[in-house]
Amino acid sequence: MKKLALLLREIMEVYIPVISFIFLFLAFILQVFFRYVVNHPLTWTQDVIVIGFCWSVILGACYTMRRKGHVQFTMLYEAYSPKVAAWARLLGNLLIIITFALMVIPSFKYAFFLGFQKTPVLRVSYTWIFLPFTYFLLSIIGYSIKPVLEDWKVITGKLSDSFDHSYDPLLGEVKK
């Protein structure tokens, strides 16, 4: 069961964004070629570009969160003591978890509400375009739980420092 869940996660966060970006890029090249070289614009390429962009960005952000690759403004955070830094990160992650949790059901309902609308040319239901956002919310919530637990251990004294507070990415080692 765990292998299946990890495979589905990999499909959602890596393969679908890569494939959708390839389609987006190819459609963009075709669009430019047919518009400016052949002087006969294609209408369907706009649908592919928009769908590809939505899926690439939304699902790719989940993978970036998994790899801890999002931009972080940590200059002040790194100057704090481990406990103060843990409190700061804990509060920030709890804010994300609560906010995103409140958005899960409305985003799911909205995606299905838009099911009657379709893209202009390919007639793809808007449900399929907006549904990945619900996965994004659940994914970010899931990836935020581990740091919350880690910070709680720092705050309660069960851990001396959180990994991200003690790790220097430039040096590639734990700070001393």
Side-chain angles (χ1 to χ4, degrees):
M1 190 64 175
K2 184 178 179 181
K3 276 187 172 184
L4 179 63
L6 292 174
L7 174 66
L8 289 174
R9 179 182 77 167
E10 200 70 10
I11 289 169
M12 290 296 291
E13 296 177 7
V14 177
Y15 295 112
I16 291 176
V18 166
I19 291 167
S20 64
F21 185 81
I22 289 169
F23 277 108
L24 173 156
F25 186 73
L26 293 174
F28 175 74
I29 297 297
L30 278 172
Q31 185 179 53
V32 169
F33 177 77
F34 274 87
R35 176 168 295 183
Y36 296 108
V37 176
V38 180
N39 202 21
H40 183 74
L42 300 173
T43 55
W44 62 268
T45 54
Q46 187 64 30
D47 283 2
V48 173
I49 290 169
V50 169
I51 295 167
F53 180 79
C54 289
W55 287 5
S56 296
V57 171
I58 292 170
L59 297 175
C62 300
Y63 179 75
T64 305
M65 183 72 171
R66 177 179 11 156
R67 303 278 301 168
K68 298 180 189 213
H70 281 287
V71 173
Q72 296 178 0
F73 299 99
T74 59
M75 195 161 59
L76 292 175
Y77 172 74
E78 289 173 355
Y80 297 151
S81 69
K83 281 196 176 186
V84 173
W87 273 110
R89 191 172 78 158
L90 176 78
L91 293 174
N93 280 326
L94 285 176
L95 182 65
I96 289 170
I97 290 170
I98 292 166
T99 304
F100 281 27
L102 291 172
M103 293 169 52
V104 169
I105 292 173
S107 72
F108 188 78
K109 286 181 177 179
Y110 186 70
F112 280 96
F113 165 73
L114 288 177
F116 70 93
Q117 292 184 342
K118 299 188 180 340
T119 60
V121 179
L122 296 179
R123 310 299 299 154
V124 175
S125 170
Y126 277 117
T127 297
W128 293 109
I129 298 171
F130 289 101
L131 202 54
F133 185 71
T134 304
Y135 177 85
F136 166 79
L137 295 172
L138 293 170
S139 175
I140 300 304
I141 291 168
Y143 292 133
S144 298
I145 291 172
K146 183 180 176 186
V148 164
L149 297 174
E150 185 178 271
D151 290 329
W152 187 249
K153 287 178 183 177
V154 172
I155 291 166
T156 58
K158 294 177 183 169
L159 188 63
S160 62
D161 200 355
S162 64
F163 176 76
D164 83 313
H165 188 251
S166 63
Y167 181 76
D168 188 342
L170 295 175
L171 298 175
E173 61 187 33
V174 174
K175 298 175 200 169
K176 297 189 173 121

